[in-house]
């Protein structure tokens, strides 16, 4: 059912998110008690995002790979993707290490840890010990899910992607007999993108809750403490964008400014909620429209 025109917001999603961000900042400063109470809005938005990621990834990957129509083309695209990710990640690590050792953004900062953050640190310590005994073959084994239902339930994106690739290749190999299944995934993909639209309508409220809680819990003064850390991060990101993204866009002849315009909404969502998963559905839709 189409949304009546009088119910459609006149402001763009980007503008609504900026308004939510500003209101969250004001409430966090002026009414901190209220700011700490609106965090459930942010949690609700993130939970809504997480519930649609698995079916969205599964349907779009299957539809996209089978749409290529040629296994050799799929293999070529996959190889290029892995190569690009490997090179880009290596450059990102080098840039990050350089700026961290040069600027030392955390030097002299003494923060009080909350009970929640201590639990996170304990979890990280446990993961560190596990990773120390983690072999290359363990990584390969982890990529393949023992159950796609479990992978979707736990939100393991890599396992969902691997399952989607194998499923898409099997559909291509089955030919005409698999057409009904393929049409089902294509329909599911369209449905999930409509679903994304409904969830994204809640983004400004989620952003409002995230910012209000962050400012109310830590105070505006904490922003000054984080200024050097944030500044060094954005400087490193600017260098990464200049070296990798601008260069890549020039090589594959993609207008860089137009691409930035296409990703501004998912960028704002990720920035405001401090969660990359929240930006994934919108980013996928934006990139599909961008071509």
């Amino acid at each position: 059912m189409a949304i009546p025109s009088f119910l459609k917001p006149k402001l763009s999603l980007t503008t609504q998110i900026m308004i939510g961000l500003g209101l969250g900042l004001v409430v966090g400063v002026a009414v901190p008690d209220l700011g700490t109470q609106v965090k459930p809005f942010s949690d609700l938005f993130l939970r809504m995002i997480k519930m649609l990621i698995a079916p969205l990834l599964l349907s779009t990957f299957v539809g996209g790979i089978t749409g290529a129509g040629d296994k050799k083309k799929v293999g070529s695209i996959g190889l290029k993707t892995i190569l690009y990710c490997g090179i880009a990640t290596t450059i990102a690590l080098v840039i990050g290490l350089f700026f961290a050792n040069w600027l030392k953004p955390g030097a002299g900062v003494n923060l009080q840890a909350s009970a929640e953050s201590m639990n996170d640190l304990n979890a990280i310590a446990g993961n560190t010990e596990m990773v120390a005994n983690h072999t290359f073959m363990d990584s390969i084994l982890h990529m393949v899910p023992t159950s796609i239902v479990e992978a979707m339930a736990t939100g393991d994106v890599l396992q969902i992607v691997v399952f989607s690739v194998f499923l898409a290749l099997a559909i291509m190999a089955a030919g005409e007999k698999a057409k009904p299944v393929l049409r089902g995934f294509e329909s599911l993909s369209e449905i999930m993108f409509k679903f994304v639209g409904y969830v994204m309508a809640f983004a400004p409220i989620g952003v409002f809750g995230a910012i209000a809680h962050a400012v109310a819990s830590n105070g505006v003064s904490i922003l000054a403490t984080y200024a050097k850390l944030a500044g060094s991060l954005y400087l490193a990101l600017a260098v990464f964008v200049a070296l990798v993204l601008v260069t890549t866009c020039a090589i594959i002849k993609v207008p860089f400014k137009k691409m930035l315009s296409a990703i501004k909404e998912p960028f704002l969502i990720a920035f405001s909620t401090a969660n990359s998963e929240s930006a994934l559905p919108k980013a996928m839709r934006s990139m599909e429209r961008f071509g």
Side-chain angles (χ1 to χ4, degrees):
M1 182 177 68
I3 300 175
S5 59
F6 66 89
L7 290 178
K8 293 181 180 178
K10 295 180 180 180
L11 299 175
S12 68
L13 181 60
T14 302
T15 304
Q16 293 177 56
I17 290 173
M18 291 301 296
I19 292 173
L21 196 154
L23 288 176
L25 183 61
V26 170
V27 170
V29 173
V31 197
D33 289 340
L34 177 61
T36 56
Q37 294 173 11
V38 296
K39 187 176 184 293
F41 290 147
S42 173
D43 295 337
L44 177 61
F45 174 62
L46 294 178
R47 290 176 76 93
M48 290 167 68
I49 287 292
K50 289 179 179 180
M51 75 177 174
L52 61 81
I53 284 179
L56 177 66
L57 282 178
L58 181 62
S59 58
T60 51
F61 266 91
V62 170
I65 293 172
T66 52
D70 184 3
K71 291 181 181 178
K72 291 183 179 179
K73 187 176 180 181
V74 172
S76 175
I77 293 172
L79 183 61
K80 289 177 182 177
T81 302
I82 293 171
L83 183 63
Y84 170 78
C85 288
I87 294 173
T89 302
T90 302
I91 294 174
L93 288 171
V94 171
I95 293 172
L97 287 170
F98 172 77
F99 279 98
N101 284 282
W102 175 36
L103 298 176
K104 295 180 172 58
V109 177
N110 186 19
L111 299 175
Q112 296 297 321
S114 63
E116 183 180 354
S117 62
M118 286 304 298
N119 290 334
D120 292 338
L121 287 173
N122 291 333
I124 291 171
N127 289 335
T128 303
E129 184 178 348
M130 182 179 68
V131 169
N133 301 316
H134 199 77
T135 65
F136 176 73
M137 282 308 302
D138 289 332
S139 300
I140 298 297
L141 289 172
H142 177 74
M143 290 170 59
V144 182
T146 55
S147 167
I148 185 57
V149 176
E150 181 185 3
M152 295 175 76
T154 57
D156 195 318
V157 173
L158 185 58
Q159 291 188 351
I160 296 171
V161 170
V162 170
F163 177 84
S164 302
V165 170
F166 277 103
L167 179 60
L169 292 174
I171 290 173
M172 292 171 66
E176 288 297 322
K177 292 183 178 179
K179 289 291 184 182
V181 176
L182 178 56
R183 285 194 293 271
F185 276 108
E186 290 172 346
S187 298
L188 177 61
S189 177
E190 287 300 315
I191 292 169
M192 291 312 301
F193 278 122
K194 291 291 184 183
F195 196 166
V196 169
Y198 297 149
V199 173
M200 284 301 111
F202 194 77
I205 301 174
V207 168
F208 164 75
I211 294 296
H213 177 264
V215 174
S217 300
N218 300 305
V220 179
S221 60
I222 198 69
L223 300 179
T225 306
Y226 290 149
K228 186 178 179 181
L229 175 62
S232 60
L233 169 63
Y234 291 128
L235 181 59
L237 288 173
V239 173
F240 175 81
V241 168
L243 289 180
V244 178
L245 298 186
V246 174
T247 304
T248 303
C249 286
I251 292 172
I252 63 177
K253 295 179 173 59
V254 170
F256 181 69
K257 289 184 178 179
K258 289 185 178 179
M259 188 193 75
L260 287 182
S261 178
I263 63 172
K264 63 183 179 182
E265 287 182 0
F267 168 81
L268 277 173
I269 293 169
F271 174 80
S272 304
T273 59
N275 189 295
S276 58
E277 284 184 343
S278 63
L280 179 61
K282 187 67 179 178
M284 291 179 67
R285 189 58 161 173
S286 298
M287 289 296 93
E288 183 185 43
R289 288 174 176 170
F290 185 65

